[in-house]
Amino acid sequence: MTATQAPAQATFDSLDPRTGEVVGTHPVHDEATVHAAVARASDAAQWWADLGFEGRRGVLGEWRRALVRRLDDLARVVAAETGKPFDDARLELVLTIDHLDWAAKHAGRVLGTRKVSSGLLMANQAASLHYAPLGVVGVIGPWNYPVFTPMGSIAYALAAGNAVVFKPSELTPGVGVALADSLAEIVAGRPLLQVVTGFGETGAALCRTPGVAKIAFTGSTATGKRVMAACADRLTPVLIECGGKDPLIVDSDADLDAAADAAVWGGMSNAGQTCIGVERVYVVDDVAEAFTAKVVAKAQALTVGTEFGPMTMPAQTDVVRRHVEDALAKGGRAVVGGASSADTAFVEPVVVLDVPEDSTAVTEETFGPLLVVNRVPDVDEAVRRANATGYGLGATVFSAARGEEIAHRLRCGMVSVNSVISFAGIPSLPFGGVGDSGFGRIHGEDGLREFTRPQAVARQRFALPIAVTSFERTSTGMKALLGLMRVLRGR
Ligand code: NDP
């Protein structure tokens, strides 16, 4: 047990999915323990809010430097609990630290008190706006990017002046504990970031706990709906970051080498277990053959266990196999791998062409190293198909001339043009989806505001000669106001 964990009754093990070895043993925190953590966090939240933007920036800067110093140690825990290659884990840490830096440096500018125009009718008022912290934010995270994903909420919530209680996935509790411990060393004795560990029930308890001002959830759409339902009881606001079925569109004038590289990296890295990973490719007919040949060559050159690891959650292998089988049964053609590629947790790369759009390989999140490549007559049809799922998280477009124009036609939260997943690494860009992919935003200015309540203040500077919001109001006064309205707004 560590300084950031409370005592608990039962325990569970986190395992290395590559070997099955036990990485760590953690408490299963029950409802009472979660309540106690939130109560402690309330005190820390007050202290933290009182520090102000500059004070918090200093502490978060210290934390950032500490994370850089122990980057490799943390990456080892990430690699052990997820099974991903060490360098992928390090990359995750690098991007996370950059976000933490941005959030800490920009919180004052984005959230601090600012004057706004009071308008002609209310010219006697001084109007100002500021964004106050919410108090205690509950963060529930997934296992696939166990640092980057929850830190999209944690770093921004902290920079905005909140304390956080974090429930990591049951598959990656050690990562959560290591993260919280690294901050605890800097804010000794202040439970600013606490971790509660356990299964879904521990997360559910966090949603029900009084004193939680907001829940930031990242995970599957099915669990997101349960979280929202649990939060409804107390009207606890929620931020919901769920899965996706992200498309990649290849236009006739695209750089095909770069597009193929992006498709294979976007689809296969982290064994395809990326919410914003490429799952569907729509390539325009006249370049389809050349593009597909490049994708096949690159995918065939990958070795599972080297370029990417096993399925972190063993049951996911069955989902991948079912999607491949469905794609093939409906007429798709496997050009790399096949259904037998998904026999063990170490799923081999699979590329299937010409998959009907009603196949589960097109309609449902696969979360494995399966790439569907479908030809389309033109970009209009690519856009139509890209927009035809309930999900709407990210997308990728390869086009020399009209990348941004195509991007604007896509129904999703984020688009990379002529590269893949790049929006996630740009701290000033908001991250989040629409439809079944959820709502609300982490990252960027929107991500900071997400963890605040806007407060509007109107201060009267002088009384107007005509009082219209008073029982002393006269008909002459009203006539004058209406006359002014006709002159000002009636034209
Ligand atoms: P899950 O939905 O299974 O779990 C997410 C978190 O919710 C875990 O911590 C889980 O705990 C917890 N949980 C489970 N049941 C409940 C409940 N009833 N109440 C509260 N919390 C609960 O998702 P995964 O961990 O499997 O993550 C993969 C999914 O996450 C994919 O769909 C992926 O696309 C999505 N994702 C989305 C991202 C985005 O930013 N949009 C980023 C990364 C992933 P436990 O693990 O202990 O069951």
Side-chain angles (χ1 to χ4, degrees), residues 140-145 149 167-171 198-205 207 217-224 226-227 230 241-244 274-276 313 365 367 393 431-432 437 442:
I140 300 175
W143 44 264
N144 58 340
Y145 291 89
T149 290
K167 154 66 179 71
S169 163
E170 68 197 61
L171 301 179
F199 304 102
E201 185 43 42
T202 305
C207 299
F217 168 83
T218 309
S220 63
T221 305
T223 311
R226 284 197 285 277
V227 164
E241 295 282 354
C242 297
T274 304
C275 55
I276 47 171
M313 193 169 58
E365 187 181 47
F367 233 50
L393 193 54
F431 184 107
S437 296
I442 56 172

mmCIF file of all heavy atoms in Angstrom, residues 140-145 149 167-171 198-205 207 217-224 226-227 230 241-244 274-276 313 365 367 393 431-432 437 442, ligand 1:
data_model
loop_
_atom_site.group_PDB
_atom_site.id
_atom_site.type_symbol
_atom_site.label_atom_id
_atom_site.label_comp_id
_atom_site.label_asym_id
_atom_site.label_seq_id
_atom_site.Cartn_x
_atom_site.Cartn_y
_atom_site.Cartn_z
ATOM 1 N N ILE A 140 -12.396 8.305 -14.401
ATOM 2 C CA ILE A 140 -12.430 6.846 -14.608
ATOM 3 C C ILE A 140 -11.767 6.567 -15.951
ATOM 4 O O ILE A 140 -12.185 7.130 -16.973
ATOM 5 C CB ILE A 140 -13.893 6.329 -14.617
ATOM 6 C CG1 ILE A 140 -14.570 6.644 -13.284
ATOM 7 C CG2 ILE A 140 -13.935 4.829 -14.902
ATOM 8 C CD1 ILE A 140 -16.056 6.294 -13.229
ATOM 9 N N GLY A 141 -10.711 5.748 -15.932
ATOM 10 C CA GLY A 141 -9.901 5.606 -17.146
ATOM 11 C C GLY A 141 -9.833 4.188 -17.686
ATOM 12 O O GLY A 141 -10.116 3.231 -16.975
ATOM 13 N N PRO A 142 -9.448 4.067 -18.970
ATOM 14 C CA PRO A 142 -9.283 2.755 -19.590
ATOM 15 C C PRO A 142 -7.835 2.279 -19.476
ATOM 16 O O PRO A 142 -6.992 2.965 -18.891
ATOM 17 C CB PRO A 142 -9.640 3.030 -21.046
ATOM 18 C CG PRO A 142 -9.080 4.405 -21.270
ATOM 19 C CD PRO A 142 -9.142 5.138 -19.950
ATOM 20 N N TRP A 143 -7.562 1.124 -20.098
ATOM 21 C CA TRP A 143 -6.243 0.497 -19.950
ATOM 22 C C TRP A 143 -5.357 0.712 -21.169
ATOM 23 O O TRP A 143 -4.161 0.454 -21.118
ATOM 24 C CB TRP A 143 -6.409 -1.015 -19.728
ATOM 25 C CG TRP A 143 -7.429 -1.606 -20.674
ATOM 26 C CD1 TRP A 143 -8.753 -1.824 -20.402
ATOM 27 C CD2 TRP A 143 -7.238 -1.979 -22.045
ATOM 28 N NE1 TRP A 143 -9.405 -2.308 -21.523
ATOM 29 C CE2 TRP A 143 -8.489 -2.422 -22.540
ATOM 30 C CE3 TRP A 143 -6.139 -1.985 -22.900
ATOM 31 C CZ2 TRP A 143 -8.669 -2.866 -23.850
ATOM 32 C CZ3 TRP A 143 -6.317 -2.424 -24.212
ATOM 33 C CH2 TRP A 143 -7.573 -2.860 -24.664
ATOM 34 N N ASN A 144 -5.924 1.146 -22.309
ATOM 35 C CA ASN A 144 -5.140 1.082 -23.555
ATOM 36 C C ASN A 144 -4.017 2.127 -23.623
ATOM 37 O O ASN A 144 -2.944 1.841 -24.133
ATOM 38 C CB ASN A 144 -6.055 1.152 -24.776
ATOM 39 C CG ASN A 144 -6.900 2.397 -24.820
ATOM 40 O OD1 ASN A 144 -7.116 3.057 -23.810
ATOM 41 N ND2 ASN A 144 -7.368 2.738 -25.999
ATOM 42 N N TYR A 145 -4.315 3.333 -23.109
ATOM 43 C CA TYR A 145 -3.263 4.351 -22.921
ATOM 44 C C TYR A 145 -3.428 4.802 -21.480
ATOM 45 O O TYR A 145 -4.044 5.843 -21.211
ATOM 46 C CB TYR A 145 -3.427 5.507 -23.920
ATOM 47 C CG TYR A 145 -3.117 5.073 -25.335
ATOM 48 C CD1 TYR A 145 -4.106 4.542 -26.149
ATOM 49 C CD2 TYR A 145 -1.814 5.133 -25.823
ATOM 50 C CE1 TYR A 145 -3.820 4.093 -27.428
ATOM 51 C CE2 TYR A 145 -1.513 4.689 -27.102
ATOM 52 C CZ TYR A 145 -2.522 4.177 -27.905
ATOM 53 O OH TYR A 145 -2.223 3.726 -29.167
ATOM 54 N N THR A 149 -4.468 8.832 -21.619
ATOM 55 C CA THR A 149 -5.918 9.030 -21.647
ATOM 56 C C THR A 149 -6.452 9.647 -20.355
ATOM 57 O O THR A 149 -7.074 10.712 -20.394
ATOM 58 C CB THR A 149 -6.596 7.695 -22.002
ATOM 59 O OG1 THR A 149 -6.308 7.421 -23.359
ATOM 60 C CG2 THR A 149 -8.079 7.770 -21.831
ATOM 61 N N LYS A 167 -9.955 6.494 -10.718
ATOM 62 C CA LYS A 167 -10.159 5.037 -10.733
ATOM 63 C C LYS A 167 -9.594 4.504 -12.048
ATOM 64 O O LYS A 167 -10.194 4.668 -13.114
ATOM 65 C CB LYS A 167 -11.659 4.731 -10.624
ATOM 66 C CG LYS A 167 -12.128 3.398 -11.211
ATOM 67 C CD LYS A 167 -11.595 2.202 -10.470
ATOM 68 C CE LYS A 167 -12.108 0.911 -11.064
ATOM 69 N NZ LYS A 167 -11.535 0.573 -12.391
ATOM 70 N N PRO A 168 -8.381 3.910 -11.999
ATOM 71 C CA PRO A 168 -7.825 3.355 -13.233
ATOM 72 C C PRO A 168 -8.506 2.031 -13.584
ATOM 73 O O PRO A 168 -9.180 1.436 -12.738
ATOM 74 C CB PRO A 168 -6.349 3.118 -12.886
ATOM 75 C CG PRO A 168 -6.299 3.022 -11.395
ATOM 76 C CD PRO A 168 -7.509 3.720 -10.839
ATOM 77 N N SER A 169 -8.306 1.565 -14.802
ATOM 78 C CA SER A 169 -8.831 0.249 -15.199
ATOM 79 C C SER A 169 -8.249 -0.824 -14.294
ATOM 80 O O SER A 169 -7.114 -0.722 -13.833
ATOM 81 C CB SER A 169 -8.439 -0.027 -16.652
ATOM 82 O OG SER A 169 -8.573 -1.405 -16.931
ATOM 83 N N GLU A 170 -9.016 -1.881 -14.112
ATOM 84 C CA GLU A 170 -8.518 -2.999 -13.287
ATOM 85 C C GLU A 170 -7.281 -3.655 -13.922
ATOM 86 O O GLU A 170 -6.535 -4.357 -13.262
ATOM 87 C CB GLU A 170 -9.621 -4.045 -13.125
ATOM 88 C CG GLU A 170 -9.956 -4.777 -14.422
ATOM 89 C CD GLU A 170 -11.286 -5.509 -14.389
ATOM 90 O OE1 GLU A 170 -12.313 -4.852 -14.215
ATOM 91 O OE2 GLU A 170 -11.272 -6.731 -14.517
ATOM 92 N N LEU A 171 -7.069 -3.401 -15.241
ATOM 93 C CA LEU A 171 -5.903 -3.995 -15.905
ATOM 94 C C LEU A 171 -4.639 -3.166 -15.689
ATOM 95 O O LEU A 171 -3.530 -3.665 -15.865
ATOM 96 C CB LEU A 171 -6.171 -4.128 -17.411
ATOM 97 C CG LEU A 171 -7.384 -4.983 -17.809
ATOM 98 C CD1 LEU A 171 -7.545 -5.010 -19.320
ATOM 99 C CD2 LEU A 171 -7.243 -6.406 -17.279
ATOM 100 N N GLY A 198 -9.783 -1.198 -8.114
ATOM 101 C CA GLY A 198 -10.805 -2.248 -8.031
ATOM 102 C C GLY A 198 -11.411 -2.481 -9.395
ATOM 103 O O GLY A 198 -10.796 -2.164 -10.420
ATOM 104 N N PHE A 199 -12.644 -3.019 -9.390
ATOM 105 C CA PHE A 199 -13.308 -3.369 -10.647
ATOM 106 C C PHE A 199 -14.343 -2.292 -10.991
ATOM 107 O O PHE A 199 -14.333 -1.209 -10.417
ATOM 108 C CB PHE A 199 -13.930 -4.758 -10.507
ATOM 109 C CG PHE A 199 -12.920 -5.797 -10.118
ATOM 110 C CD1 PHE A 199 -12.839 -6.256 -8.808
ATOM 111 C CD2 PHE A 199 -12.011 -6.284 -11.049
ATOM 112 C CE1 PHE A 199 -11.882 -7.196 -8.442
ATOM 113 C CE2 PHE A 199 -11.046 -7.225 -10.683
ATOM 114 C CZ PHE A 199 -10.983 -7.674 -9.368
ATOM 115 N N GLY A 200 -15.277 -2.655 -11.873
ATOM 116 C CA GLY A 200 -16.294 -1.694 -12.293
ATOM 117 C C GLY A 200 -17.057 -1.115 -11.112
ATOM 118 O O GLY A 200 -17.422 0.065 -11.104
ATOM 119 N N GLU A 201 -17.298 -1.934 -10.081
ATOM 120 C CA GLU A 201 -18.103 -1.481 -8.939
ATOM 121 C C GLU A 201 -17.418 -0.311 -8.217
ATOM 122 O O GLU A 201 -18.098 0.583 -7.700
ATOM 123 C CB GLU A 201 -18.344 -2.665 -7.983
ATOM 124 C CG GLU A 201 -19.253 -2.378 -6.809
ATOM 125 C CD GLU A 201 -20.505 -1.553 -7.158
ATOM 126 O OE1 GLU A 201 -21.132 -1.824 -8.206
ATOM 127 O OE2 GLU A 201 -20.810 -0.622 -6.395
ATOM 128 N N THR A 202 -16.095 -0.293 -8.199
ATOM 129 C CA THR A 202 -15.389 0.834 -7.558
ATOM 130 C C THR A 202 -15.635 2.113 -8.356
ATOM 131 O O THR A 202 -15.876 3.186 -7.781
ATOM 132 C CB THR A 202 -13.876 0.542 -7.468
ATOM 133 O OG1 THR A 202 -13.694 -0.702 -6.786
ATOM 134 C CG2 THR A 202 -13.133 1.634 -6.724
ATOM 135 N N GLY A 203 -15.627 1.991 -9.692
ATOM 136 C CA GLY A 203 -15.934 3.151 -10.537
ATOM 137 C C GLY A 203 -17.373 3.593 -10.335
ATOM 138 O O GLY A 203 -17.664 4.796 -10.255
ATOM 139 N N ALA A 204 -18.272 2.611 -10.232
ATOM 140 C CA ALA A 204 -19.691 2.940 -10.033
ATOM 141 C C ALA A 204 -19.872 3.668 -8.704
ATOM 142 O O ALA A 204 -20.665 4.620 -8.607
ATOM 143 C CB ALA A 204 -20.530 1.669 -10.081
ATOM 144 N N ALA A 205 -19.128 3.232 -7.677
ATOM 145 C CA ALA A 205 -19.224 3.889 -6.363
ATOM 146 C C ALA A 205 -18.775 5.346 -6.473
ATOM 147 O O ALA A 205 -19.375 6.238 -5.862
ATOM 148 C CB ALA A 205 -18.378 3.139 -5.340
ATOM 149 N N CYS A 207 -19.109 7.257 -9.023
ATOM 150 C CA CYS A 207 -20.204 8.012 -9.671
ATOM 151 C C CYS A 207 -21.302 8.359 -8.667
ATOM 152 O O CYS A 207 -21.966 9.383 -8.812
ATOM 153 C CB CYS A 207 -20.836 7.196 -10.798
ATOM 154 S SG CYS A 207 -19.700 6.783 -12.108
ATOM 155 N N PHE A 217 -15.206 10.362 -17.707
ATOM 156 C CA PHE A 217 -15.113 8.928 -18.006
ATOM 157 C C PHE A 217 -14.486 8.710 -19.372
ATOM 158 O O PHE A 217 -14.873 9.356 -20.352
ATOM 159 C CB PHE A 217 -16.514 8.293 -17.986
ATOM 160 C CG PHE A 217 -16.536 6.906 -18.569
ATOM 161 C CD1 PHE A 217 -16.177 5.814 -17.800
ATOM 162 C CD2 PHE A 217 -16.895 6.694 -19.898
ATOM 163 C CE1 PHE A 217 -16.167 4.531 -18.342
ATOM 164 C CE2 PHE A 217 -16.886 5.422 -20.457
ATOM 165 C CZ PHE A 217 -16.526 4.341 -19.666
ATOM 166 N N THR A 218 -13.562 7.784 -19.473
ATOM 167 C CA THR A 218 -13.054 7.326 -20.762
ATOM 168 C C THR A 218 -13.137 5.813 -20.775
ATOM 169 O O THR A 218 -12.624 5.149 -19.872
ATOM 170 C CB THR A 218 -11.598 7.749 -21.001
ATOM 171 O OG1 THR A 218 -11.480 9.148 -20.773
ATOM 172 C CG2 THR A 218 -11.162 7.448 -22.420
ATOM 173 N N GLY A 219 -13.794 5.270 -21.790
ATOM 174 C CA GLY A 219 -13.923 3.815 -21.902
ATOM 175 C C GLY A 219 -14.922 3.480 -22.983
ATOM 176 O O GLY A 219 -15.131 4.279 -23.911
ATOM 177 N N SER A 220 -15.549 2.317 -22.873
ATOM 178 C CA SER A 220 -16.456 1.869 -23.935
ATOM 179 C C SER A 220 -17.789 2.616 -23.864
ATOM 180 O O SER A 220 -18.168 3.136 -22.811
ATOM 181 C CB SER A 220 -16.688 0.371 -23.812
ATOM 182 O OG SER A 220 -17.318 0.105 -22.573
ATOM 183 N N THR A 221 -18.495 2.622 -24.972
ATOM 184 C CA THR A 221 -19.789 3.305 -25.028
ATOM 185 C C THR A 221 -20.775 2.663 -24.059
ATOM 186 O O THR A 221 -21.538 3.362 -23.378
ATOM 187 C CB THR A 221 -20.334 3.252 -26.475
ATOM 188 O OG1 THR A 221 -19.334 3.801 -27.338
ATOM 189 C CG2 THR A 221 -21.621 4.043 -26.628
ATOM 190 N N ALA A 222 -20.751 1.324 -23.973
ATOM 191 C CA ALA A 222 -21.692 0.622 -23.082
ATOM 192 C C ALA A 222 -21.479 1.069 -21.637
ATOM 193 O O ALA A 222 -22.444 1.382 -20.926
ATOM 194 C CB ALA A 222 -21.498 -0.884 -23.211
ATOM 195 N N THR A 223 -20.223 1.123 -21.182
ATOM 196 C CA THR A 223 -19.969 1.547 -19.801
ATOM 197 C C THR A 223 -20.277 3.035 -19.641
ATOM 198 O O THR A 223 -20.780 3.461 -18.604
ATOM 199 C CB THR A 223 -18.511 1.259 -19.395
ATOM 200 O OG1 THR A 223 -18.192 -0.089 -19.753
ATOM 201 C CG2 THR A 223 -18.299 1.425 -17.903
ATOM 202 N N GLY A 224 -19.991 3.824 -20.671
ATOM 203 C CA GLY A 224 -20.284 5.260 -20.623
ATOM 204 C C GLY A 224 -21.760 5.511 -20.322
ATOM 205 O O GLY A 224 -22.108 6.409 -19.547
ATOM 206 N N ARG A 226 -23.727 3.481 -18.681
ATOM 207 C CA ARG A 226 -23.985 3.121 -17.271
ATOM 208 C C ARG A 226 -23.510 4.229 -16.335
ATOM 209 O O ARG A 226 -24.158 4.560 -15.345
ATOM 210 C CB ARG A 226 -23.290 1.793 -16.919
ATOM 211 C CG ARG A 226 -24.016 0.578 -17.477
ATOM 212 C CD ARG A 226 -23.562 -0.699 -16.776
ATOM 213 N NE ARG A 226 -22.249 -1.124 -17.199
ATOM 214 C CZ ARG A 226 -22.019 -1.841 -18.294
ATOM 215 N NH1 ARG A 226 -23.025 -2.222 -19.066
ATOM 216 N NH2 ARG A 226 -20.802 -2.198 -18.625
ATOM 217 N N VAL A 227 -22.366 4.806 -16.669
ATOM 218 C CA VAL A 227 -21.814 5.902 -15.854
ATOM 219 C C VAL A 227 -22.776 7.086 -15.857
ATOM 220 O O VAL A 227 -23.093 7.668 -14.809
ATOM 221 C CB VAL A 227 -20.420 6.308 -16.394
ATOM 222 C CG1 VAL A 227 -19.985 7.661 -15.867
ATOM 223 C CG2 VAL A 227 -19.389 5.233 -16.037
ATOM 224 N N ALA A 230 -25.764 6.354 -13.721
ATOM 225 C CA ALA A 230 -25.457 6.415 -12.288
ATOM 226 C C ALA A 230 -25.330 7.871 -11.828
ATOM 227 O O ALA A 230 -25.727 8.224 -10.717
ATOM 228 C CB ALA A 230 -24.171 5.647 -11.985
ATOM 229 N N GLU A 241 -15.898 10.112 -22.890
ATOM 230 C CA GLU A 241 -14.981 9.857 -24.016
ATOM 231 C C GLU A 241 -15.034 8.367 -24.318
ATOM 232 O O GLU A 241 -14.507 7.557 -23.554
ATOM 233 C CB GLU A 241 -13.535 10.210 -23.619
ATOM 234 C CG GLU A 241 -13.284 11.672 -23.332
ATOM 235 C CD GLU A 241 -13.154 12.507 -24.587
ATOM 236 O OE1 GLU A 241 -13.146 11.949 -25.698
ATOM 237 O OE2 GLU A 241 -13.084 13.726 -24.453
ATOM 238 N N CYS A 242 -15.721 8.001 -25.405
ATOM 239 C CA CYS A 242 -15.899 6.573 -25.683
ATOM 240 C C CYS A 242 -15.146 6.137 -26.933
ATOM 241 O O CYS A 242 -14.273 6.838 -27.410
ATOM 242 C CB CYS A 242 -17.383 6.267 -25.811
ATOM 243 S SG CYS A 242 -18.276 6.574 -24.294
ATOM 244 N N GLY A 243 -15.545 5.001 -27.432
ATOM 245 C CA GLY A 243 -14.817 4.383 -28.541
ATOM 246 C C GLY A 243 -15.067 5.066 -29.874
ATOM 247 O O GLY A 243 -15.756 6.084 -29.958
ATOM 248 N N GLY A 244 -14.504 4.471 -30.920
ATOM 249 C CA GLY A 244 -14.668 5.024 -32.260
ATOM 250 C C GLY A 244 -14.555 3.938 -33.318
ATOM 251 O O GLY A 244 -14.302 2.762 -33.009
ATOM 252 N N THR A 274 -6.507 1.354 -29.973
ATOM 253 C CA THR A 274 -6.417 2.811 -29.889
ATOM 254 C C THR A 274 -7.783 3.378 -30.222
ATOM 255 O O THR A 274 -8.339 3.063 -31.282
ATOM 256 C CB THR A 274 -5.360 3.334 -30.896
ATOM 257 O OG1 THR A 274 -4.119 2.688 -30.624
ATOM 258 C CG2 THR A 274 -5.190 4.835 -30.801
ATOM 259 N N CYS A 275 -8.325 4.211 -29.321
ATOM 260 C CA CYS A 275 -9.682 4.728 -29.570
ATOM 261 C C CYS A 275 -9.715 5.515 -30.862
ATOM 262 O O CYS A 275 -10.706 5.493 -31.580
ATOM 263 C CB CYS A 275 -10.160 5.568 -28.390
ATOM 264 S SG CYS A 275 -9.036 6.898 -27.953
ATOM 265 N N ILE A 276 -8.625 6.228 -31.176
ATOM 266 C CA ILE A 276 -8.575 7.024 -32.406
ATOM 267 C C ILE A 276 -7.753 6.303 -33.474
ATOM 268 O O ILE A 276 -7.193 6.929 -34.373
ATOM 269 C CB ILE A 276 -8.009 8.433 -32.135
ATOM 270 C CG1 ILE A 276 -6.737 8.334 -31.282
ATOM 271 C CG2 ILE A 276 -9.042 9.341 -31.495
ATOM 272 C CD1 ILE A 276 -5.976 9.629 -31.140
ATOM 273 N N MET A 313 -6.419 -7.131 -23.104
ATOM 274 C CA MET A 313 -7.546 -7.826 -22.491
ATOM 275 C C MET A 313 -7.773 -9.089 -23.331
ATOM 276 O O MET A 313 -8.238 -8.997 -24.475
ATOM 277 C CB MET A 313 -8.778 -6.907 -22.536
ATOM 278 C CG MET A 313 -9.915 -7.355 -21.682
ATOM 279 S SD MET A 313 -11.156 -6.056 -21.569
ATOM 280 C CE MET A 313 -11.567 -5.806 -23.289
ATOM 281 N N GLU A 365 -16.676 -1.235 -33.211
ATOM 282 C CA GLU A 365 -15.266 -1.034 -32.864
ATOM 283 C C GLU A 365 -14.593 -2.406 -32.705
ATOM 284 O O GLU A 365 -15.077 -3.251 -31.951
ATOM 285 C CB GLU A 365 -15.178 -0.253 -31.551
ATOM 286 C CG GLU A 365 -13.756 0.145 -31.189
ATOM 287 C CD GLU A 365 -13.696 0.908 -29.854
ATOM 288 O OE1 GLU A 365 -14.306 0.459 -28.870
ATOM 289 O OE2 GLU A 365 -13.023 1.952 -29.813
ATOM 290 N N PHE A 367 -10.998 -2.872 -32.166
ATOM 291 C CA PHE A 367 -9.956 -2.738 -31.140
ATOM 292 C C PHE A 367 -8.924 -3.852 -31.252
ATOM 293 O O PHE A 367 -8.502 -4.465 -30.262
ATOM 294 C CB PHE A 367 -10.600 -2.729 -29.738
ATOM 295 C CG PHE A 367 -10.187 -1.540 -28.922
ATOM 296 C CD1 PHE A 367 -10.261 -0.264 -29.432
ATOM 297 C CD2 PHE A 367 -9.696 -1.699 -27.626
ATOM 298 C CE1 PHE A 367 -9.871 0.839 -28.688
ATOM 299 C CE2 PHE A 367 -9.296 -0.612 -26.870
ATOM 300 C CZ PHE A 367 -9.389 0.665 -27.398
ATOM 301 N N LEU A 393 -15.545 9.855 -33.561
ATOM 302 C CA LEU A 393 -14.425 10.310 -32.716
ATOM 303 C C LEU A 393 -13.401 11.054 -33.587
ATOM 304 O O LEU A 393 -13.441 12.261 -33.698
ATOM 305 C CB LEU A 393 -13.824 9.101 -31.981
ATOM 306 C CG LEU A 393 -12.853 9.411 -30.838
ATOM 307 C CD1 LEU A 393 -13.459 10.334 -29.817
ATOM 308 C CD2 LEU A 393 -12.368 8.124 -30.178
ATOM 309 N N PHE A 431 -10.060 17.576 -27.640
ATOM 310 C CA PHE A 431 -10.127 16.151 -27.992
ATOM 311 C C PHE A 431 -11.455 15.592 -27.494
ATOM 312 O O PHE A 431 -11.792 15.715 -26.323
ATOM 313 C CB PHE A 431 -8.969 15.428 -27.293
ATOM 314 C CG PHE A 431 -8.826 13.963 -27.629
ATOM 315 C CD1 PHE A 431 -7.793 13.510 -28.435
ATOM 316 C CD2 PHE A 431 -9.723 13.028 -27.113
ATOM 317 C CE1 PHE A 431 -7.659 12.153 -28.737
ATOM 318 C CE2 PHE A 431 -9.589 11.678 -27.406
ATOM 319 C CZ PHE A 431 -8.564 11.240 -28.219
ATOM 320 N N GLY A 432 -12.218 14.961 -28.386
ATOM 321 C CA GLY A 432 -13.475 14.335 -27.981
ATOM 322 C C GLY A 432 -14.323 14.038 -29.191
ATOM 323 O O GLY A 432 -13.950 14.373 -30.324
ATOM 324 N N SER A 437 -19.510 8.159 -29.665
ATOM 325 C CA SER A 437 -18.151 8.399 -29.149
ATOM 326 C C SER A 437 -18.158 9.333 -27.941
ATOM 327 O O SER A 437 -17.114 9.571 -27.340
ATOM 328 C CB SER A 437 -17.261 8.995 -30.250
ATOM 329 O OG SER A 437 -17.111 8.057 -31.296
ATOM 330 N N ILE A 442 -11.641 17.005 -23.634
ATOM 331 C CA ILE A 442 -10.403 17.157 -22.879
ATOM 332 C C ILE A 442 -9.432 17.926 -23.783
ATOM 333 O O ILE A 442 -9.718 18.126 -24.957
ATOM 334 C CB ILE A 442 -9.811 15.790 -22.422
ATOM 335 C CG1 ILE A 442 -9.596 14.858 -23.633
ATOM 336 C CG2 ILE A 442 -10.725 15.136 -21.392
ATOM 337 C CD1 ILE A 442 -8.843 13.570 -23.302
HETATM 338 P P1 NDP B 1 -14.479 -0.060 -20.149
HETATM 339 O O1 NDP B 1 -15.688 0.705 -20.544
HETATM 340 O O2 NDP B 1 -14.601 -1.520 -19.986
HETATM 341 O O3 NDP B 1 -13.866 0.505 -18.783
HETATM 342 C C1 NDP B 1 -13.497 1.853 -18.629
HETATM 343 C C2 NDP B 1 -13.393 2.156 -17.132
HETATM 344 O O4 NDP B 1 -14.693 2.116 -16.551
HETATM 345 C C3 NDP B 1 -12.553 1.144 -16.352
HETATM 346 O O5 NDP B 1 -11.846 1.814 -15.342
HETATM 347 C C4 NDP B 1 -13.619 0.265 -15.769
HETATM 348 O O6 NDP B 1 -13.189 -0.416 -14.622
HETATM 349 C C5 NDP B 1 -14.673 1.273 -15.396
HETATM 350 N N1 NDP B 1 -16.010 0.726 -15.201
HETATM 351 C C6 NDP B 1 -16.515 -0.469 -15.585
HETATM 352 N N2 NDP B 1 -17.819 -0.577 -15.220
HETATM 353 C C7 NDP B 1 -18.144 0.577 -14.586
HETATM 354 C C8 NDP B 1 -19.337 1.090 -14.001
HETATM 355 N N3 NDP B 1 -20.483 0.396 -13.980
HETATM 356 N N4 NDP B 1 -19.316 2.319 -13.430
HETATM 357 C C9 NDP B 1 -18.180 3.062 -13.461
HETATM 358 N N5 NDP B 1 -17.011 2.638 -13.999
HETATM 359 C C10 NDP B 1 -16.994 1.410 -14.567
HETATM 360 O O7 NDP B 1 -13.384 0.312 -21.252
HETATM 361 P P2 NDP B 1 -11.928 -0.297 -21.424
HETATM 362 O O8 NDP B 1 -11.120 -0.093 -20.179
HETATM 363 O O9 NDP B 1 -12.068 -1.673 -21.983
HETATM 364 O O10 NDP B 1 -11.298 0.673 -22.524
HETATM 365 C C11 NDP B 1 -11.463 0.489 -23.878
HETATM 366 C C12 NDP B 1 -12.493 1.434 -24.450
HETATM 367 O O11 NDP B 1 -12.106 2.763 -24.156
HETATM 368 C C13 NDP B 1 -12.594 1.373 -25.949
HETATM 369 O O12 NDP B 1 -13.943 1.407 -26.360
HETATM 370 C C14 NDP B 1 -11.866 2.624 -26.409
HETATM 371 O O13 NDP B 1 -12.262 3.066 -27.668
HETATM 372 C C15 NDP B 1 -12.232 3.565 -25.320
HETATM 373 N N6 NDP B 1 -11.283 4.683 -25.264
HETATM 374 C C16 NDP B 1 -11.724 5.935 -25.591
HETATM 375 C C17 NDP B 1 -10.843 7.003 -25.601
HETATM 376 C C18 NDP B 1 -11.317 8.380 -25.896
HETATM 377 O O14 NDP B 1 -10.623 9.318 -25.521
HETATM 378 N N7 NDP B 1 -12.443 8.605 -26.535
HETATM 379 C C19 NDP B 1 -9.426 6.822 -25.293
HETATM 380 C C20 NDP B 1 -9.074 5.484 -24.941
HETATM 381 C C21 NDP B 1 -9.987 4.461 -24.943
HETATM 382 P P3 NDP B 1 -12.616 -1.934 -14.776
HETATM 383 O O15 NDP B 1 -11.543 -1.893 -15.808
HETATM 384 O O16 NDP B 1 -12.086 -2.178 -13.427
HETATM 385 O O17 NDP B 1 -13.791 -2.766 -15.178
#
